[in-house]
């Protein structure tokens, strides 16, 4: 950790120092964008564009805006109280803390496995290591997981920021250039952005875009990343708001670009094989440039998402242990604790068997269990950030409250839809 920048920020009594560089000002928001845009989000957006066209572009923008307000609530609480959201949840009783911990363990296992598998598929698409695609995917998956472990463990937070900036640059250039080169109907794109419509058969795709864009549990990592940057005190709120605005603008742009790309080709099926199919279709539409640009953009998206989870989620485990033990904020940052390091190792290693196993029913059961996480976060932030005796002058205004209420209602609907769909699949219907 860069102790110089941290001590400078703290010495100004919670006010941002003059002359902040780009990474100091916008780095944490960029990390949120890179981590929150994964393989599932990109494929959902492209399949939705292929199925119902660009009339659902508005959903990518609305989803990013609502996630931005949710993350603003996390920053608002932490800057006002000097405590993390996990510490805030302790005020509701131990049950919430333990329920989240159990959810975190399941989320880490299945999400870690999905990210490893996605990185394996992206690596195999770029450079097959075996004549058997499954063998190549598994080799690449293991290599990506171990590479992520090494980079996050040894690199330090500043190195992690710079590495993610490179990945975001690759994502941004390749995906947006591919979208522009695919020859979309720009007038239809403009209508899809500014005129919200619900096309026939498009409800599921709209809900998928609204709920999927911008990540889920990973939004909690933002509080730890701004602490690494030394943002402490109410004076940093405007910096965080600008930071998040940039991060979620990037998130919305990625979602918009993938819907546009999907609208130019006909796609069928599901899973990671859609990425390869999409690249092949883009080869037909644009030529080899489209094929390779998309594959490199897809790889940058899934590997940056893996890096962000490997870096950010161990903070939650280490913080849970600290709150559970009722220990004060130590002089040693969470990133340097044994708990953070061991959870990083567990994230990188424990999900590896999923490369060889089919655990669809277990994943569906987990989806039912975790469907209400985002509504829970929105509801608790509404309560926590409206208590003047808790947050003082940073109490929510009407606009923030309206956005959080909309987010709560949206994710209750999305969560209920996902849970019902998972229950039907579990029952074999």
């Amino acid at each position: 950790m860069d102790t110089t920048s941290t001590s400078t920020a703290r010495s100004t009594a919670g006010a941002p120092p003059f002359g902040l560089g780009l990474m100091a000002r916008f780095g944490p928001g960029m990390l949120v964008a890179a981590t929150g845009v994964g393989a599932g989000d990109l494929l959902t957006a492209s399949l939705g564009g292929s199925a119902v066209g660009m009339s659902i572009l508005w959903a990518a923008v609305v989803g990013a805006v609502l996630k931005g307000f949710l993350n603003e609530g996390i920053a608002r609480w932490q800057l006002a109280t000097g405590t993390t959201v996990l510490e805030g949840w302790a005020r509701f009783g131990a049950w919430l803390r333990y329920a989240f911990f159990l959810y975190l363990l399941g989320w880490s296992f299945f999400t870690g496995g999905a990210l490893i598998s996605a990185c394996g598929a992206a690596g195999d698409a770029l450079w097959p290591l075996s004549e058997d695609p499954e063998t190549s995917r598994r080799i690449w998956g293991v290599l990506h997981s171990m590479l992520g472990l090494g980079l996050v463990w040894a690199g330090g937070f500043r190195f992690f920021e710079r590495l993610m900036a490179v990945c975001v640059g690759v994502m941004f250039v390749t995906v947006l250039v591919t979208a522009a080169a695919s020859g979309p109907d720009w007038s239809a794109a403009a209508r899809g952005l500014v005129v919200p419509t619900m096309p026939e058969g498009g409800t599921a795709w709209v809900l998928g875009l609204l709920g999927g864009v911008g990540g889920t549990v990973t939004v909690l990592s933002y509080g730890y990343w701004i602490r690494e940057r030394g943002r402490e005190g109410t004076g940093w709120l405007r910096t965080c708001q600008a930071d998040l605005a940039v991060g979620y603008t990037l998130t919305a742009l990625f979602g918009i670009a993938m819907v546009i790309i999907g609208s130019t080709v006909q796609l069928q099926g599901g899973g990671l094989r859609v990425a390869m199919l999409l690249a092949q279709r883009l080869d037909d539409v644009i030529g080899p440039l489209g094929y390779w640009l998309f594959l490199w953009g897809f790889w940058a998206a899934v590997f940056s998402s893996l890096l962000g989870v490997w870096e950010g989620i161990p903070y939650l485990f280490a913080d849970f242990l600290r709150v559970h033990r009722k220990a004060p904020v130590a002089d040693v940052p969470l990133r340097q604790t044994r708990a953070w390091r061991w959870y990083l190792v567990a994230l990188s290693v424990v999900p590896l068997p999923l490369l060889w196993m089919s655990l669809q029913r277990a994943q569906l059961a987990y989806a039912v269990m975790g469907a209400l996480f985002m509504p829970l976060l929105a509801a608790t932030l509404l309560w926590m950030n409206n208590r003047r005796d808790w947050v003082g002058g940073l109490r929510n205004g009407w606009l923030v409250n309206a956005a959080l209420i909309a987010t709560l209602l949206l994710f209750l609907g999305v969560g209920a839809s996902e849970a019902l769909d998972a229950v039907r699949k579990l029952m074999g219907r």
Side-chain angles (χ1 to χ4, degrees), residues 12 255 257 392 428:
T12 56

Side-chain angles (χ1 to χ4, degrees), residues 128-151:
L129 296 179
S130 171
E131 294 183 358
D132 177 20
E134 283 299 300
T135 300
S136 179
R137 179 182 64 84
R138 289 164 184 160
I139 295 173
W140 273 119
V142 173
L143 289 175
H144 276 85
S145 185
M146 294 300 102
L147 178 61
L149 169 61
L151 291 173

Side-chain angles (χ1 to χ4, degrees), residues 240-317:
C240 288
Q241 289 171 336
D243 178 27
L244 289 168
V246 172
Y248 281 100
T249 296
L250 290 175
T251 300
L253 286 173
F254 293 140
I256 290 168
M258 288 306 301
V259 172
I260 290 175
I261 291 170
S263 71
T264 63
V265 296
Q266 293 297 314
L267 295 172
Q268 292 181 343
L272 293 171
R273 64 181 179 276
V274 172
M276 196 64 189
L277 176 61
L278 185 55
Q280 292 168 350
R281 296 292 176 83
L282 288 171
D283 190 2
D284 297 334
V285 174
I286 304 175
L289 175 65
Y291 178 87
W292 289 109
L293 277 178
F294 177 77
L295 285 184
W296 277 109
F298 179 73
W299 172 84
V302 295
F303 188 51
S304 64
S305 188
L306 180 143
L307 287 172
V309 169
W310 270 215
E311 164 75 26
I313 298 305
Y315 284 105
L316 298 175
F317 177 74

Side-chain angles (χ1 to χ4, degrees), residues 345-399:
V345 173
L347 264 176
S348 308
V349 175
V350 174
L352 287 176
L354 291 181
L355 288 168
W356 285 267
M357 301 168 65
S358 176
L359 295 177
Q360 184 179 15
R361 293 181 69 85
Q363 288 175 297
L364 290 172
Y366 159 75
V368 174
M369 177 186 72
L372 295 180
F373 168 73
M374 295 305 286
L376 173 67
L377 178 59
T380 52
L381 286 174
L382 267 170
W383 179 263
M384 292 157 61
N385 288 346
N386 278 292
R387 293 282 301 268
R388 188 176 295 277
D389 56 330
W390 286 3
V391 296
L394 287 195
R395 183 181 176 187
N396 285 347
W398 69 268
L399 178 60

Side-chain angles (χ1 to χ4, degrees), residues 33-393:
T35 304
V37 179
D41 306 323
L42 294 179
L43 296 182
T44 296
S46 60
L47 285 168
S50 179
V52 297
M54 288 185 284
S55 59
I56 61 173
L57 281 176
W58 62 271
V61 177
V62 173
V65 169
L66 293 181
K67 285 284 181 70
F69 274 104
L70 198 63
N71 226 325
E72 193 267 1
I74 294 171
R76 181 181 295 267
W77 168 263
Q78 185 165 309
L79 296 175
T81 66
T83 63
T84 63
V85 169
L86 264 63
E87 292 174 280
W89 283 351
R91 305 188 185 203
F92 294 91
W95 68 270
L96 179 55
R97 188 168 71 251
Y98 291 124
F100 173 72
F101 178 67
L102 293 176
Y103 172 65
L104 177 66
L105 294 179
W107 185 93
S108 299
F109 180 70
F110 289 113
T111 302
L115 288 170
I116 292 169
S117 184
C119 286
D124 173 62
L126 288 169
W127 187 11
L129 296 179
S130 171
E131 294 183 358
D132 177 20
E134 283 299 300
T135 300
S136 179
R137 179 182 64 84
R138 289 164 184 160
I139 295 173
W140 273 119
V142 173
L143 289 175
H144 276 85
S145 185
M146 294 300 102
L147 178 61
L149 169 61
L151 291 173
V152 172
W153 179 291
F157 181 74
R158 294 295 183 268
F159 173 77
F160 167 69
E161 274 191 322
R162 290 190 289 269
L163 180 62
M164 291 289 273
V166 173
C167 289
V168 169
V170 174
M171 290 166 58
F172 189 85
V173 172
T174 56
V175 173
L176 266 65
V177 168
T178 304
S182 62
D185 182 344
W186 292 110
S187 61
R191 288 193 302 271
L193 280 173
V194 300
V195 182
T197 58
M198 188 68 72
E200 183 178 354
T203 302
W205 298 115
V206 168
L207 288 177
L209 269 178
L210 287 171
V213 65
T216 53
V217 177
T218 53
V219 300
L220 292 174
S221 300
Y222 184 74
Y224 303 98
W225 288 333
I226 63 175
R227 182 170 285 179
E228 289 282 353
R229 270 291 174 185
R231 298 184 190 176
E232 296 184 8
T234 58
W236 283 96
L237 181 60
R238 290 190 180 276
T239 301
C240 288
Q241 289 171 336
D243 178 27
L244 289 168
V246 172
Y248 281 100
T249 296
L250 290 175
T251 300
L253 286 173
F254 293 140
I256 290 168
M258 288 306 301
V259 172
I260 290 175
I261 291 170
S263 71
T264 63
V265 296
Q266 293 297 314
L267 295 172
Q268 292 181 343
L272 293 171
R273 64 181 179 276
V274 172
M276 196 64 189
L277 176 61
L278 185 55
Q280 292 168 350
R281 296 292 176 83
L282 288 171
D283 190 2
D284 297 334
V285 174
I286 304 175
L289 175 65
Y291 178 87
W292 289 109
L293 277 178
F294 177 77
L295 285 184
W296 277 109
F298 179 73
W299 172 84
V302 295
F303 188 51
S304 64
S305 188
L306 180 143
L307 287 172
V309 169
W310 270 215
E311 164 75 26
I313 298 305
Y315 284 105
L316 298 175
F317 177 74
D319 200 23
F320 169 82
L321 291 184
R322 184 181 63 80
V323 174
H324 175 69
R325 295 166 180 168
K326 298 181 179 179
V329 178
D331 291 333
V332 178
L334 288 176
R335 198 181 193 281
Q336 297 177 16
T337 62
R338 290 183 179 179
W340 187 92
R341 291 185 177 274
W342 281 115
Y343 205 74
L344 167 61
V345 173
L347 264 176
S348 308
V349 175
V350 174
L352 287 176
L354 291 181
L355 288 168
W356 285 267
M357 301 168 65
S358 176
L359 295 177
Q360 184 179 15
R361 293 181 69 85
Q363 288 175 297
L364 290 172
Y366 159 75
V368 174
M369 177 186 72
L372 295 180
F373 168 73
M374 295 305 286
L376 173 67
L377 178 59
T380 52
L381 286 174
L382 267 170
W383 179 263
M384 292 157 61
N385 288 346
N386 278 292
R387 293 282 301 268
R388 188 176 295 277
D389 56 330
W390 286 3
V391 296

